[in-house]
Amino acid sequence: MDLKTTYLGLTLEHPLVPSAGPLTEKLDDLKRLEDAGAAAVVLHSLFEEQLRIESAELDYHLSHGVESYPEALTYFPEPSEFRLGPEDYLELIAGAKKALRIPVIASLNGSTLGGWTDYARKMQEAGADALELNIYNIPTDPDQSSAEIEDTYVEIVRAVRSAVTIPVAVKLSPFFTNFAHVAKRLVAAGANGLVLFNRFYQPDIDLETLEIRPNVLLSTPMAMRLPLRWIAILYGRLNASLAATSGVHRATDAIKLLMAGADVTMMCSALLRHGPQHLGTVKRDMIAWLEEHEYESVAQLKGSMSQKNCPDPSAFERAQYMRALTTYPVPPARGS
């Protein structure tokens, strides 16, 4: 069975890729994922806020008190000698490239246009095979228009694209007025791929302490329905790779997303629940399904049920929405 796929110009042995998360923070865990059969890995994200904080601390230590103490100018080491948090990330990239045989994709997470995007170049220099740009933004300003928000996304992608020559994928949320239009603009700005979709972690209220707490809930297979729809709609319309993330727990989830047009299917929650070895289970089940249904390769499967190739293209649009609502069975009244 030929499971090979191409993502961001990288040839992968199969389409199962661990996404950015707790299991991709340490080199030992990355080795475990490779041993379990990962086709590539996306490292955990380096955040814009980390880079801003480290830069501010560095400026403070280099300048604080220089006018009061003559020895201050020589007391602190040169900037190149500082051990900043982001430097550890670069070491992780370099270490992973040295230790692993599979592609290593770095992840840069931010929400505003700024100098932090220059760090993408350092990730490339450290050896990253590609970069996943995770733009995570929750607009709260009622005076900021949707056009302004979308323009910021485009400018961030352009800034990163101008800083690197390696492939760049953009991880997005689905909350745009016209997602297809935004996707087209980002590809035109230089994105080589789109990762659909980012999950917004919603806050919760602790009724005992009356504090707002972050609430991270692992995904379920139902979450794959949203990326499935949009990947199916975008397949064949954009000159870019498509990655599905969120809700990939079983071989059947991955197969459906590949049929919709995904080049790779990314996993996180399922691996946190079952461990890295779950990759092998999903891969074996995928091969069994393909053989049972007489497929010879993933390439033969890919995009076969996209909107472009589906016998009923309206299935991904409003007509199917109305059909679903009008045909759902109503339970009988009690006592009848």
Side-chain angles (χ1 to χ4, degrees), residues 203-214:
D204 197 5
I205 297 176
D206 189 315
L207 294 178
E208 298 301 322
T209 64
L210 299 184
E211 295 178 344
I212 305 297
R213 296 189 179 278

Side-chain angles (χ1 to χ4, degrees), residues 21-314:
L23 277 174
T24 62
E25 292 183 0
K26 299 177 181 179
L27 185 56
D28 286 345
D29 287 331
L30 294 172
K31 291 178 181 177
R32 290 172 61 205
L33 289 168
E34 181 182 50
D35 291 342
V41 288
V42 182
L43 303 185
H44 73 103
S45 293
L46 181 63
F47 291 86
E48 170 187 348
E49 290 79 359
Q50 287 178 266
L51 297 170
R52 292 188 186 280
I53 290 172
E54 296 288 357
S55 178
E57 289 180 351
L58 178 58
D59 289 342
Y60 172 82
H61 288 302
L62 290 177
S63 61
H64 184 65
V66 294
E67 296 179 355
S68 303
Y69 303 96
E71 70 276 14
L73 290 173
T74 58
Y75 179 77
F76 291 104
E78 293 296 322
S80 61
E81 298 174 8
F82 273 82
R83 285 285 297 171
L84 301 179
E87 297 302 318
D88 296 334
Y89 193 93
L90 298 181
E91 289 189 5
L92 177 63
I93 295 174
K97 279 302 298 176
K98 185 176 181 180
L100 306 180
R101 300 178 301 278
I102 57 178
V104 175
I105 302 172
S107 176
L108 188 58
N109 186 309
S111 63
T112 64
L113 184 63
W116 63 274
T117 56
D118 292 337
Y119 212 84
R121 182 182 296 107
K122 294 184 179 181
M123 292 179 170
Q124 174 176 302
E125 292 170 352
D129 295 291
L131 173 65
E132 182 175 286
L133 180 59
N134 188 340
I135 306 180
Y136 189 106
N137 184 31
I138 303 177
T140 58
D141 183 356
D143 294 322
Q144 187 179 29
S145 70
S146 58
E148 291 173 324
I149 295 167
E150 293 170 14
D151 287 346
T152 298
Y153 276 63
V154 170
E155 290 305 315
I156 291 174
V157 172
R158 282 178 179 158
V160 171
R161 178 72 279 167
S162 67
V164 299
T165 58
I166 57 176
V168 175
V170 184
K171 191 172 186 178
L172 295 163
S173 87
F175 304 120
F176 291 93
T177 304
N178 184 349
F179 184 80
H181 179 70
V182 173
K184 181 179 179 180
R185 290 190 67 193
L186 294 176
V187 172
N192 304 103
L194 301 176
V195 183
L196 312 182
F197 286 108
N198 204 338
R199 294 179 64 214
F200 283 120
Y201 294 113
Q202 311 298 347
D204 197 5
I205 297 176
D206 189 315
L207 294 178
E208 298 301 322
T209 64
L210 299 184
E211 295 178 344
I212 305 297
R213 296 189 179 278
N215 188 13
V216 177
L217 298 175
L218 298 182
S219 74
T220 67
M222 286 297 295
M224 54 85 68
R225 296 285 188 89
L226 187 59
L228 183 145
R229 162 176 275 180
W230 278 105
I231 287 173
I233 291 172
L234 296 176
Y235 177 80
R237 296 185 177 185
L238 299 176
N239 184 24
S241 294
L242 296 172
T245 186
S246 188
V248 183
H249 288 250
R250 307 160 301 195
T252 51
D253 304 326
I255 290 167
K256 290 176 183 178
L257 289 162
L258 292 167
M259 282 182 164
D263 295 293
V264 294
T265 57
M266 295 185 172
M267 306 175 68
C268 181
S269 293
L271 300 182
L272 291 175
R273 282 196 176 101
H274 306 294
Q277 67 274 8
H278 188 60
L279 281 164
T281 300
V282 174
K283 182 180 176 182
R284 287 192 298 272
D285 291 347
M286 179 184 292
I287 292 173
W289 189 95
L290 292 171
E291 289 177 344
E292 180 182 351
H293 293 81
E294 300 182 348
Y295 284 91
E296 296 179 356
S297 68
V298 161
Q300 182 184 357
L301 182 80
K302 192 184 300 182
S304 58
M305 291 297 292
S306 65
Q307 188 179 48
K308 177 182 177 182
N309 296 321
C310 183
D312 181 13
S314 69

